[in-house]
């Protein structure tokens, strides 16, 4: 099948590459000429395990192409995926200007029946707006062409996106016509050879499903962070509590690890967007607002622990920071807890030596230049280099190389043997027996 994917960001590139890997002819469209030039050369703008090899292979086998104009690709396509960004507005709403701009462009060049699919995470009712935008553009051309608009939200985890796409738990498709359903079932047929993973529903149902899934996971994280903070005050080890409740099959172990907050391009944005949608309907979403507020506050917890230990003025102190990306397996620093922590520490006068296995280039590009110019922030190329003359280690992102460091060797590098563990990776008693002070999230 011929497929067009508009947008070569995280979702669009993974979608296009994985469909090509399954034998479909895919054209990815993006207005960013520099990005398209690099993609044609096989240079991937994001870090995602396994993606580069798939892109390169399918470029070489002419199943994956990249263009800057939708008009160059639309005529041969049976399905067009809209996978452009929906950045949050100041009020938390999802900005649909790019989605609707693509819809109008589709209407400008549409000549025959196609299925238009929203892959971007969008509010309930977006498909209706896409349908209207295409129809109005067709009307301005004095044309009546049949088309369908469907919703096919992505459920990809950064760091495991290729595997998630190729071996999905479920494929949610929102379609209001049998014709659109048939086309999309055929497109996804090879992903369902073992068993049918497709869940069909209405378009608005599919749009809501995506937001609800992310909001539910965010809720579990914020709830457990709330419990961990209470454990801190009650002299309770939250790790034992986690094991105790996770063993209940009704709760499970997933997403109940306490930490210094969630980040990324999905959870924060989607929770805020669902809150905004609730307000628009006149409904007060108390739980969602609490989830968001807890997470915003949780990002300051590590800095508060540091200041409680060292005092309000951190001038003259150096901290090693392990982990800049919002989670392991990605270089994405959007709304990462590390950024909030850096703001707090540097504002208090601290110097920070930071290391991340993948996000150093992103940090150099996106963090304030003043931090680098003043010497408040130094990015290093090895995790142990960050420890030189450090008064404490602060772990923010649970990358695998950070899980079992040589704590004995570290004591010869650091000025003081102090660890602030933002992901509860380390055993407090083991560290204390080695002469460390330990501060975790609900553990001490």
């Amino acid at each position: 099948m011929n497929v067009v994917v508009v947008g070569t960001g995280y979702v669009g590139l993974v979608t296009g590459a994985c469909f090509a890997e399954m034998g479909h002819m895919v054209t990815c469209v993006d207005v960013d000429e520099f990005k398209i030039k690099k993609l044609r050369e096989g240079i991937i703008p994001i870090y995602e395990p396994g993606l580069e090899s798939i892109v390169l292979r399918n470029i070489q086998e002419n199943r994956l192409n990249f263009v800057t104009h939708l008009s160059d690709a639309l005529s041969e396509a049976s399905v067009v995926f809209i996978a452009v960004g929906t950045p949050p507005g100041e009020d938390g709403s999802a900005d649909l200007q790019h989605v609707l701009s693509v819809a109008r462009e589709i209407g400008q060049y549409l000549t025959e029946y196609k299925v238009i699919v929203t892959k971007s995470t969008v509010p309930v009712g977006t498909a209706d707006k896409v349908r209207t935008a295409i129809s109005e553009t067709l009307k301005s051309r004095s044309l009546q062409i049949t088309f369908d608009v469907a919703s096919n939200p992505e459920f990809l985890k950064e760091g495991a996106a290729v595997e998630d796409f190729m071996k999905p738990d479920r494929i949610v498709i929102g379609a209001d016509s049998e014709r659109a359903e048939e086309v999309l079932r055929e497109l996804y047929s090879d992903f369902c050879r073992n068993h049918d993973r497709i869940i069909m529903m209405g378009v608005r149902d599919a749009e809501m499903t995506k937001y609800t899934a992310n909001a539910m996971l965010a809720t579990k994280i914020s709830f457990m962070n709330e419990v961990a903070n209470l454990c801190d005050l009650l002299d309770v080890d939250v790790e034992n509590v986690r094991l105790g409740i996770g063993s209940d099959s009704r709760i499970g172990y997933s997403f109940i690890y306490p930490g210094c907050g969630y980040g990324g391009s999905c959870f924060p944005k989607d929770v805020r967007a669902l809150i905004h949608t609730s307000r628009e309907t006149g409904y007060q979403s108390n739980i969602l607002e609490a989830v968001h507020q807890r997470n915003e506050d949780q990002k300051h917890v590590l800095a508060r622990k540091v200041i409680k230990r060292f005092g309000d003025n951190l001038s003259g102190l150096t901290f090693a920071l392990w982990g800049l990306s919002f989670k392991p397996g990605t270089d994405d620093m959007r709304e990462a807890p590390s950024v909030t922590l850096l703001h707090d520490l540097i504002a208090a006068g601290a110097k920070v030596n930071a290391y991340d296995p993948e996000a150093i280039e992103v940090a150099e590009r996106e963090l304030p230049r003043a931090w680098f110019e003043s010497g408040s922030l130094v990015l290093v190329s090895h995790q142990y280099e960050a420890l030189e003359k450090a008064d404490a280690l602060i772990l923010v992102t649970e990358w695998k190389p950070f899980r079992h460091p040589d704590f004995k060797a570290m004591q010869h590098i650091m000025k003081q043997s102090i660890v602030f563990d933002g992901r509860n990776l380390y055993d407090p008693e083991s560290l204390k027996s080695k002469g460390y002070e330990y501060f975790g999230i609900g553990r001490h």
Side-chain angles (χ1 to χ4, degrees), residues 2 34 53 60 65 71 128 132 139 160 179 189 204 215 222 401:
N2 283 296
F34 180 77
S53 61
Q60 291 168 359
N65 297 290
S71 57
D128 297 332
T132 298
K139 186 177 179 180
R179 189 175 182 182
S189 60
R204 295 171 72 89
S222 280

Side-chain angles (χ1 to χ4, degrees), residues 374-416:
S374 66
S376 298
L377 175 61
V378 177
L379 302 178
V380 300
S381 57
H382 191 279
Q383 68 187 78
Y384 288 97
E385 185 182 352
L387 300 172
E388 292 182 7
K389 298 181 180 180
D391 292 282
L393 164 64
I394 308 174
L395 182 132
V396 179
T397 313
E398 64 275 32
W399 285 92
K400 288 180 181 177
F402 301 158
R403 291 177 180 269
H404 296 284
D406 188 339
F407 284 109
K408 184 175 181 181
M410 288 165 55
Q411 286 179 311
H412 297 291
I413 306 172
M414 299 173 66
K415 187 185 296 184
Q416 302 187 61

Side-chain angles (χ1 to χ4, degrees), residues 200-270:
M200 295 299 308
M201 58 183 69
V203 173
R204 295 171 72 89
D205 303 338
E207 291 170 337
M208 187 64 175
T209 297
K210 168 61 177 179
Y211 274 117
T212 304
N214 280 351
M216 172 60 81
L217 298 175
T219 298
K220 292 185 74 174
I221 295 170
S222 280
F223 174 78
M224 204 61 198
N225 283 336
E226 187 117 304
V227 170
N229 295 340
L230 186 58
C231 287
D232 260 335
L233 300 174
L234 296 174
D235 194 23
V236 172
D237 188 339
V238 75
E239 178 64 8
N240 290 329
V241 176
R242 183 187 71 80
L243 294 172
I245 66 171
S247 59
D248 187 328
S249 61
R250 297 169 300 175
I251 299 172
Y253 293 104
S254 298
F255 290 87
I256 60 168
Y257 289 88
C260 51
Y262 59 75
S265 64
C266 296
F267 287 7
K269 176 173 71 72
D270 294 352

Side-chain angles (χ1 to χ4, degrees), residues 91-284:
D91 59 357
S93 62
D95 186 347
L96 298 178
Q97 64 171 318
H98 302 303
V99 171
L100 297 180
S101 176
V102 172
R104 286 187 286 270
E105 190 172 4
I106 291 171
Q108 186 64 41
Y109 297 109
L110 194 66
T111 58
E112 60 183 352
Y113 175 83
K114 301 186 189 303
V115 180
I116 317 302
V117 185
T118 53
K119 196 70 172 172
S120 305
T121 301
V122 293
V124 174
T126 298
D128 297 332
K129 295 178 180 179
V130 169
R131 186 180 295 107
T132 298
I134 296 173
S135 296
E136 289 179 347
T137 306
L138 287 172
K139 186 177 179 180
S140 71
R141 296 170 59 201
S142 301
L143 293 175
Q144 288 187 335
I145 299 172
T146 302
F147 65 93
D148 278 310
V149 178
S151 173
N152 175 219
E154 53 84 15
F155 299 96
L156 307 176
K157 300 185 295 291
E158 290 196 38
V162 172
E163 183 179 0
D164 286 348
F165 198 100
M166 301 301 284
K167 298 178 182 179
D169 292 328
R170 78 287 204 197
I171 300 166
V172 172
I173 296 175
D176 294 333
S177 80
E178 291 184 4
R179 189 175 182 182
E181 178 179 343
E182 289 175 2
V183 170
L184 292 174
R185 280 190 178 277
E186 179 184 349
L187 178 64
Y188 276 108
S189 60
D190 286 326
F191 297 90
C192 302
R193 303 247 352 229
N194 180 270
H195 65 275
D196 190 1
R197 294 178 168 89
I198 294 175
I199 302 174
M200 295 299 308
M201 58 183 69
V203 173
R204 295 171 72 89
D205 303 338
E207 291 170 337
M208 187 64 175
T209 297
K210 168 61 177 179
Y211 274 117
T212 304
N214 280 351
M216 172 60 81
L217 298 175
T219 298
K220 292 185 74 174
I221 295 170
S222 280
F223 174 78
M224 204 61 198
N225 283 336
E226 187 117 304
V227 170
N229 295 340
L230 186 58
C231 287
D232 260 335
L233 300 174
L234 296 174
D235 194 23
V236 172
D237 188 339
V238 75
E239 178 64 8
N240 290 329
V241 176
R242 183 187 71 80
L243 294 172
I245 66 171
S247 59
D248 187 328
S249 61
R250 297 169 300 175
I251 299 172
Y253 293 104
S254 298
F255 290 87
I256 60 168
Y257 289 88
C260 51
Y262 59 75
S265 64
C266 296
F267 287 7
K269 176 173 71 72
D270 294 352
V271 169
R272 288 197 298 268
L274 202 49
I275 291 170
H276 177 79
T277 297
S278 299
R279 289 173 178 168
E280 280 191 322
T281 64
Y283 182 75
Q284 183 70 33

